[in-house]
Amino acid sequence: MARNKSQSNSQAQLLKGSAWMTFGSIVSRILGAIYIIPWYAWMGKYGNLANSLTAKSYNIYSLFIIISTAGIPGAVAKQIAKYNALNEYGVGRKLFKHGLALMSVFGVIAAAIMYFCAPVFASFNQQEIPVIRSLSYAILIIPILSIFRGYFQGFNDMMPSAMSQFVEQLARVIWMLATAYVIMQVQHGNYVDAVTQSNLAAAIGAIFAIGMLVMFYLRQKRQVDPLVRRSANQVQVSTNSLLFEIIGQSIPFIIIDSGINFFQLIDQYTFHPMIAGLTNASYDTIESWYALFGLNANKLIMIVVSLSTAMAVTAIPLLSGAHARGDYKDISRQIGNTLELFLFVLIPAALGMAAIAAPLYTIFYGYDQLGANVLYLSSFTSISLGLFTVLMAILQGLDENMYAIRYLVIGLIIKAVVQYPMIRFFKVYGPLLATNIGLLAVIACSLKHLAVKYRWRSDRTMRRFIGIASFSLIMFAAVCLAVKVCSLFLPLDRRMPAFALCGVGVLTGVVVYGGLTLKSGLAERVLGSRVTRITHKLHLD
């Protein structure tokens, strides 16, 4: 009875945490995608070139964010969860304070390196230098923001992180749109200046997010103070050992969390020279092709991938707690629950996006058949990216960092080896195919490791995967048919008709997939007993 209650509580924690992180990630991703409609339109004929500049600068920026935070937020979340499970709340608070000081130093160092080395990162392209430098200001602030988020996640309290994500993105989008409109529409200025100001918005958003997290921290402090006073105080840890513990835990996080960025950086520095040697296209044309998958499609699929990211962040403290207790049965359950929740949400979302790729691309970037085709392929790539994210988080939560790094290196080597042949034969689609091949290798190695070491039984997950995949394919066919029929009356090359087509597609997908999973009982088995009320109200039980 107690074991069943524990299992129910852990699943409830996973679902609650995933719900908050999904809210924060999805809403911020949607805001980050919607702004592109007016922003891209205001750039006029320079839209794809502006997006290419943005994509390249953000690939560098993302890597610096991971390095400057040094994986410490994830490590802090993991260690705080560990000490809380041992009733050592005082050690957890001490760890947070020292981590905060450490992050401030890292932020200053990383921001200085990014600013002064911008010409090297830009390959001495004068247009990219100010764009990269404008992001260095955010590097000063975001490490502090990240450590606050790690602190709350260590308590398995995902709400502050989710709300701060929303506020950060809202402030960022407002600044981006305001400056882009003034520069491009009022002053009729240079698109490089507009991109530079849009990148500066990252620092503006971080300032607002920190303000919100400080308020949450002060409110939570009143509740945690009694727990700190009642700590077991059996673990005595010095300041130096705490710092070494943070850094030791964080180094693997740097490498693992940079995984997707490494795949993107391979594209950034190899696509242009490789395809230039295979075609006679101009510099601007190749840059526009890069923007199609480097930002345009990537911006949209990351909404879907953020679903898995939300679940991954939630899984780390829960798995870490079970690992600290040595509860292998709970570990196996957590692995199954996390993967099944991921598959239940991401597969239909990815297939649904693929089914409406053409009208969706038109809404954001205008009609472009090549761009729509790239988005179609990218939608399937989001499944690989999402599963990679979840599995890396699971391995981190289980202290399997070295295995995670080993599998990541294997995947990157495979990606680098197949990059040129993929580009040679498939041109602009090549980088996406090479990324999928590399990610699938990482996924296969990770699943095999979990099955062997932690005796994770994949049979239940495989049965549910078959059901999810079958229902998702039925939904995919239904959405494709609905969009095809409606496109006979609604043209694809205009935004408002394309918006209507997307609406029809989404409604069809929700009704078909939702109805099938509720009627079959699959939704209840994956999401828990709360779904029973929905099936009862809809008379599907």
Side-chain angles (χ1 to χ4, degrees):
M1 185 72 178
R3 181 177 297 173
N4 291 337
K5 185 176 180 180
S6 174
Q7 180 178 352
S8 176
N9 287 340
S10 63
Q11 186 178 26
Q13 275 187 300
L14 176 63
L15 289 171
K16 181 180 177 182
S18 292
W20 273 114
M21 292 309 294
T22 300
F23 165 79
S25 295
I26 292 300
V27 172
S28 63
R29 290 288 183 184
I30 290 174
L31 279 174
I34 289 176
Y35 90 84
I36 203 71
I37 299 174
W39 190 89
Y40 187 86
W42 293 338
M43 295 297 154
K45 64 181 181 179
Y46 302 107
N48 276 343
L49 292 175
N51 274 353
S52 178
L53 272 180
T54 301
K56 289 184 175 182
S57 61
Y58 261 85
N59 286 340
I60 301 294
Y61 166 74
S62 298
L63 191 60
F64 264 83
I65 283 295
I66 294 168
I67 293 172
S68 65
T69 56
I72 288 176
V76 166
K78 182 179 172 184
Q79 294 304 98
I80 286 177
K82 167 188 166 183
Y83 288 122
N84 287 354
L86 299 172
N87 191 28
E88 294 287 355
Y89 291 91
V91 176
R93 176 172 288 181
K94 188 177 179 183
L95 187 148
F96 164 67
K97 290 179 178 178
H98 289 303
L100 194 59
L102 194 63
M103 297 307 297
S104 301
V105 175
F106 279 15
V108 172
I109 295 171
I113 294 172
M114 185 174 181
Y115 185 90
F116 291 110
C117 294
V120 177
F121 300 131
S123 300
F124 297 96
N125 182 335
Q126 295 303 311
Q127 286 186 326
E128 292 182 31
I129 294 171
V131 174
I132 292 174
R133 281 179 170 169
S134 65
L135 286 167
S136 66
Y137 301 109
I139 300 292
L140 279 169
I141 308 166
I142 287 182
I144 297 172
L145 171 62
S146 298
I147 197 75
F148 269 103
R149 286 176 176 161
Y151 171 78
F152 285 109
Q153 289 162 18
F155 280 85
N156 205 37
D157 184 2
M158 304 300 169
M159 189 268 285
S161 292
M163 294 303 296
S164 70
Q165 276 184 298
F166 170 72
V167 169
E168 179 186 9
Q169 190 70 302
L170 182 63
R172 175 175 169 267
V173 167
I174 290 172
W175 181 274
M176 292 178 78
L177 292 179
T179 55
Y181 180 79
V182 170
I183 293 171
M184 299 302 295
Q185 299 298 305
V186 178
Q187 299 176 345
H188 303 289
N190 190 317
Y191 76 92
V192 177
D193 294 334
V195 173
T196 300
Q197 283 298 317
S198 293
N199 283 359
L200 185 62
I204 304 298
I207 291 171
F208 279 89
I210 288 173
M212 168 164 277
L213 286 172
V214 168
M215 289 191 297
F216 278 118
Y217 174 76
L218 294 175
R219 183 186 303 173
Q220 190 226 44
K221 186 175 182 295
R222 294 193 294 269
Q223 301 171 352
V224 177
D225 282 346
L227 297 175
V228 173
R229 289 193 293 269
R230 292 196 296 270
S231 292
N233 296 322
Q234 297 299 310
V235 178
Q236 299 297 324
V237 186
S238 68
T239 301
N240 287 338
S241 62
L242 270 178
L243 291 177
F244 280 119
E245 184 174 9
I246 293 174
I247 294 171
Q249 285 287 331
S250 69
I251 290 174
F253 276 79
I254 298 175
I255 301 171
I256 297 167
D257 291 353
S258 302
I260 292 177
N261 294 100
F262 289 145
F263 280 94
Q264 292 171 339
L265 285 171
I266 291 174
D267 292 335
Q268 178 169 326
Y269 289 108
T270 64
F271 177 74
H272 193 121
M274 283 182 179
I275 203 154
L278 298 169
T279 67
N280 294 319
S282 67
Y283 179 90
D284 284 356
T285 299
I286 293 175
E287 288 299 291
S288 295
W289 287 344
Y290 171 77
L292 294 181
F293 66 87
L295 189 139
N296 294 13
N298 190 59
K299 194 83 170 174
L300 298 176
I301 68 166
M302 288 310 291
I303 298 174
V304 176
V305 175
S306 65
L307 288 167
S308 60
T309 305
M311 287 177 259
V313 170
T314 307
I316 289 179
L318 294 174
L319 283 165
S320 181
H323 191 259
R325 296 190 303 270
D327 189 344
Y328 272 54
K329 288 187 177 179
D330 191 33
I331 290 172
S332 182
R333 283 195 297 268
Q334 290 295 342
I335 293 171
N337 289 341
T338 302
L339 290 176
E340 289 160 19
L341 183 57
F342 159 78
L343 294 169
F344 184 83
V345 175
L346 197 72
I347 289 181
L351 267 62
M353 181 173 283
I356 60 171
L360 186 63
Y361 194 91
T362 298
I363 291 172
F364 284 91
Y365 307 107
Y367 179 74
D368 182 347
Q369 189 58 54
L370 179 59
N373 292 342
V374 170
L375 177 58
Y376 180 85
L377 180 58
S378 296
S379 299
F380 293 97
T381 304
S382 69
I383 299 175
S384 302
L385 287 169
L387 191 51
F388 165 83
T389 303
V390 169
L391 288 170
M392 291 297 99
I394 289 174
L395 290 173
Q396 285 174 295
L398 296 172
D399 272 333
E400 298 288 354
N401 296 322
M402 295 312 298
Y403 281 100
I405 292 171
R406 184 184 303 173
Y407 302 150
L408 173 60
V409 170
I410 291 171
L412 289 170
I413 291 172
I414 292 173
K415 157 78 171 173
V417 168
V418 302
Q419 180 85 334
Y420 181 78
M422 289 296 104
I423 291 176
R424 182 178 180 85
F425 291 110
F426 300 103
K427 301 300 185 290
V428 72
Y429 308 112
L432 290 171
L433 294 171
T435 294
N436 270 300
I437 293 170
L439 289 174
L440 287 174
V442 180
I443 290 165
C445 291
S446 301
L447 289 174
K448 180 69 174 177
H449 179 77
L450 292 173
V452 171
K453 182 164 183 179
Y454 292 96
R455 299 186 295 277
W456 168 59
R457 299 287 300 274
S458 61
D459 49 353
R460 189 191 76 175
T461 301
M462 185 55 66
R463 287 195 304 271
R464 293 180 180 179
F465 165 72
I466 292 170
I468 291 166
S470 300
F471 293 151
S472 296
L473 287 171
I474 294 171
M475 178 272 296
F476 175 74
V479 174
C480 286
L481 179 62
V483 171
K484 184 72 173 176
V485 171
C486 291
S487 65
L488 298 175
F489 311 99
L490 297 169
L492 268 173
D493 57 352
R494 296 208 306 271
R495 276 196 169 89
M496 288 311 296
F499 188 83
L501 286 171
C502 283
V504 169
V506 170
L507 182 61
T508 303
V510 170
V511 170
V512 173
Y513 184 74
L516 289 171
T517 55
L518 288 171
K519 182 66 176 177
S520 65
L522 178 62
E524 184 176 355
R525 289 193 291 274
V526 174
L527 300 177
S529 58
R530 295 177 184 178
V531 179
T532 306
R533 294 195 295 270
I534 299 174
T535 56
H536 181 69
K537 287 180 181 179
L538 296 176
H539 304 289
L540 294 173
D541 48 359

